[in-house]
Amino acid sequence: DGSRQRLLTLGPEGFATALRNQDAVAVTDTTFRDAHQSLLATRVRTSGLLGVAGHVARLTPELLSIEAWGGATYDVALRFLHEDPWERLAALRETVPNICLQMLLRGRNTVGYTPYPDSVARAFVAEAADTGIDIFRIFDALNNIDAMRPAIDAVRDTGTAIAEVALSYTGDLANPRETLYTLDYYLRLAEQAVDAGAHIIAIKDMAGLLRPAAATELVEALRWNFDLPVHVHTHDTPGGQLATYLAAWQAGADAVDGASAPMAGTTSQPALSAIVAAAAHTERDTGLDLANVCDLEPYWEALRKVYAPFESGLPAPTGRVYTHEIPGGQLSNLRQQAIALGLGDRFEKIEEAYADADALLGRLIKVTPSSKVVGDLALHLVGAGVGIDEFAADPGRFDIPDSVIGFLRGDLGTPAAGWPEPFRERALQGRATARPTAELSAEDEKALTEPGERRGTLNRLLFPGPTSEFLKHREQYGDTTGLSANQFFYGLRQGEEHRVELDAGVELLIGLEAISEPDDAGMRTVMCILNGQLRPVSVRDRSIAA
Ligand code: PYR
């Protein structure tokens, strides 16, 4: 028996009440989603997840949930892994029948970066719930509850799934000088979340800024004022977030998020084993078996090595996050972007520019996609060698990234502090201010209501380019999800053989024997071994200029 059976038996309301009343601090395992999004550029493939999912189901059935889907995983699966995210979810559901599966939903943006019509959110949630999601963690980049409402309604309409509404956290509410993101701000927000129909309230600390004293204050106040369970999420960027968890559950927090230790720390979540050990033998004991949690660690340790080329997290914790407030998932991404722009050795400058850009834009809640707005401006300013004061004084003179214009135009909604004027007016002067409309065609509206077409339609509406690439890949190569990560990412190395299992028990043994020098036309002869037979294949070496 696990959390899923409990949800099926008690229903969403009963499940939430039981969570609120239990002594044990409940635990969500984020290794399948946020941990690899924050450390490995979201690149872990379905085969890597399925390799351990059954063992997680068996060894840690006491988990509240496994966060396994949503956020960036959908986009990355289609765009870089040539996988259909729906197939991943269905396979995980089949492999983990006993523990609730959880996803991260970006409000009206679902798993994209811009708002979609309500019919998209409705169809997305219905399909995700049918395919296997039990708990939907819903957030909005500016904490706008109205933007989350269609998704909350859609989750409630399933009748079986849990709507966990996230209050995205920034600043430091225990600091007496904090005037914007105060306890009062979060309580007003929580009240709206409760009124909108939340089953669970999440504190989404995406940068690791929630300190122990603030956690105590916030959790106590949320539990005192409302009847819902409180689920705390953090990233361990500054290195001490286990202290925050301890303070949170001592103040009554009902659940926390952690990742398997080899996939934990820095921009990811705190380690599950450290969480379990910290609560063990206290009245908040998680109920998870520490030895079992540790038994799962070698798998993730080995997997992380295979994905080493995608490492994007921090080499070590950083206290600078208290100043720049960059979310864990973005911090790793931004470093890669900076390197790609030739600014890799000026990352501290980018961090400073990020803080400056944030101050100029009005001290935003920074999470996808508002974090991207701030990050784009920071990269742009450092790249162009323009100081923030020079830019703020006369923004009309400069190029401004599209995401920043969109934000100033109100595409993401209104920020908590209101609009930064007169900067906003100056920046928008002479630039298009009409918001893009996102109407669906009658055909698409209809396709969203047809169960057989819904997944494909959602893929296409959310990520048209990557979906068409994915379909081409499927047509050309078939389903490549069964290849190991080594085979998929790195191909054959000389002297190696790969066993490739095709459908219906057919196996291929493919080896690489030798590669010739290129000829004048840039062609090389590759000597392959296919099921024991040597075969020459002529291949153009694209690294050679024509
Ligand atoms: C996401 O939207 O993907 C986050 O992790 C916040």
Side-chain angles (χ1 to χ4, degrees):
D1 262 15
S3 58
R4 182 128 191 278
Q5 192 56 45
R6 215 156 51 239
L7 177 57
L8 292 173
T9 311
L10 300 176
E13 270 81 18
F15 182 88
T17 305
L19 178 60
R20 162 107 188 179
N21 292 335
Q22 74 179 40
D23 288 334
V25 60
V27 179
T28 291
D29 180 349
T30 63
T31 324
F32 290 71
R33 201 285 298 180
D34 203 356
H36 75 98
Q37 181 169 332
S38 300
L39 295 174
L40 299 172
T42 332
R43 287 306 200 282
V44 180
R45 297 168 67 247
T46 298
S47 67
L49 303 176
L50 290 178
V52 72
H55 301 283
V56 173
R58 188 170 49 82
L59 290 173
T60 52
E62 301 84 1
L63 285 171
L64 166 66
S65 59
I66 300 175
E67 194 199 40
W69 211 63
T73 61
Y74 193 103
D75 177 10
V76 171
L78 281 167
R79 194 183 295 268
F80 298 115
L81 308 179
H82 305 303
E83 290 188 2
D84 184 339
W86 297 101
E87 290 174 4
R88 172 183 298 188
L89 177 57
L92 285 169
R93 176 75 290 165
E94 198 180 320
T95 316
V96 183
N98 56 337
I99 302 171
C100 287
L101 293 184
Q102 183 171 323
M103 79 162 289
L104 184 68
L105 190 70
R106 299 166 175 161
R108 286 171 58 203
N109 302 354
T110 61
V111 285
Y113 304 94
T114 49
Y116 294 98
D118 292 357
S119 53
V120 173
R122 260 198 310 276
F124 187 93
V125 166
E127 188 63 30
D130 280 354
T131 312
I133 293 297
D134 304 296
I135 302 179
F136 290 81
R137 177 176 289 166
I138 305 164
F139 75 95
D140 171 72
L142 295 180
N143 274 338
N144 179 354
I145 299 284
D146 283 337
M148 304 188 215
R149 212 178 291 275
I152 299 172
D153 289 345
V155 174
R156 291 193 65 92
D157 286 347
T158 64
T160 52
I162 296 267
E164 180 175 297
V165 178
L167 319 178
S168 294
Y169 181 86
T170 201
D172 176 19
L173 66 74
N175 184 337
R177 281 189 306 212
E178 175 63 69
T179 53
L180 182 55
Y181 300 113
T182 58
L183 182 60
D184 202 41
Y185 166 85
Y186 292 107
L187 289 179
R188 271 185 285 125
L189 204 59
E191 190 173 2
Q192 293 171 47
V194 173
D195 289 346
H199 295 114
I200 298 177
I201 294 177
I203 302 171
K204 181 170 165 54
D205 176 25
M206 53 279 172
L209 301 174
L210 183 67
R211 307 187 200 185
T216 302
E217 241 185 279
L218 183 53
V219 170
E220 269 178 4
L222 288 173
R223 284 192 104 258
W224 175 260
N225 285 283
F226 308 101
D227 293 330
L228 303 190
V230 176
H231 191 163
V232 185
H233 167 87
T234 194
H235 290 249
D236 208 9
T237 311
Q241 291 308 91
L242 185 61
T244 291
Y245 276 174
L246 184 63
W249 73 62
Q250 285 178 344
D254 301 280
V256 296
D257 282 4
S260 186
M263 294 282 284
T266 64
T267 50
S268 174
Q269 278 67 59
L272 284 173
S273 43
I275 292 167
V276 171
H281 319 304
T282 74
E283 56 189 16
R284 302 306 313 273
D285 193 309
T286 61
L288 286 154
D289 184 298
L290 182 57
N292 286 355
V293 171
C294 293
D295 278 350
L296 291 162
E297 292 179 359
Y299 179 89
W300 292 112
E301 200 175 310
L303 177 134
R304 189 161 175 180
K305 284 200 192 110
V306 174
Y307 283 83
F310 300 107
E311 283 286 348
S312 50
L314 298 178
T318 172
R320 295 198 303 274
V321 71
Y322 295 122
T323 310
H324 59 61
E325 300 186 339
I326 303 175
Q330 184 183 28
L331 192 49
S332 43
N333 212 338
L334 205 59
R335 289 167 79 90
Q336 300 305 313
Q337 278 179 280
I339 292 166
L341 293 171
L343 302 170
D345 57 350
R346 296 164 71 193
F347 197 68
E348 280 168 41
K349 263 250 153 328
I350 291 168
E351 290 176 345
E352 279 167 31
Y354 189 100
D356 289 344
D358 182 38
L360 177 64
L361 296 173
R363 274 200 74 210
L364 308 182
I365 295 287
K366 293 169 288 296
V367 62
T368 319
S370 56
S371 50
K372 177 169 164 20
V373 171
V374 182
D376 285 351
L377 185 53
L379 284 171
H380 187 73
L381 293 176
V382 175
V386 178
I388 194 81
D389 292 337
E390 192 188 348
F391 175 72
D394 194 1
R397 276 202 305 131
F398 301 97
D399 276 348
I400 303 182
D402 290 347
S403 62
V404 179
I405 295 295
F407 162 74
L408 293 172
R409 194 169 56 193
D411 290 2
L412 309 186
T414 309
W419 292 109
E421 298 294 9
F423 165 74
R424 175 190 186 229
E425 207 180 302
R426 286 187 199 146
L428 289 179
Q429 211 153 47
R431 297 184 218 250
T433 51
R435 286 197 210 168
T437 51
E439 300 259 310
L440 291 192
S441 68
E443 244 166 75
D444 285 339
E445 288 282 1
K446 182 162 176 298
L448 285 177
T449 62
E450 309 270 343
E453 286 182 51
R454 218 156 46 178
R455 293 181 183 178
T457 307
L458 286 164
N459 287 355
R460 179 171 53 74
L461 291 175
L462 293 168
F463 297 105
T467 297
S468 102
E469 287 298 312
F470 159 74
L471 292 172
K472 260 192 252 162
H473 179 94
R474 266 280 150 101
E475 200 179 309
Q476 196 169 2
Y477 301 108
D479 181 354
T480 50
T481 53
L483 298 179
S484 72
N486 270 329
Q487 291 164 346
F488 180 80
F489 288 121
Y490 316 125
L492 289 169
R493 272 171 288 225
Q494 205 159 329
E496 272 184 7
E497 276 187 323
H498 283 170
R499 185 178 297 279
V500 181
E501 285 181 33
L502 304 178
D503 287 345
V506 180
E507 276 188 358
L508 287 180
L509 199 59
I510 305 174
L512 175 59
E513 187 70 11
I515 306 178
S516 75
E517 287 301 310
D519 64 16
D520 290 348
M523 303 298 285
R524 291 176 185 260
T525 302
V526 179
M527 299 304 291
C528 304
I529 302 178
L530 184 63
N531 286 349
Q533 291 202 333
L534 200 60
R535 303 212 184 189
V537 181
S538 196
V539 176
R540 177 173 304 285
D541 185 340
R542 294 212 190 89
S543 69
I544 298 172

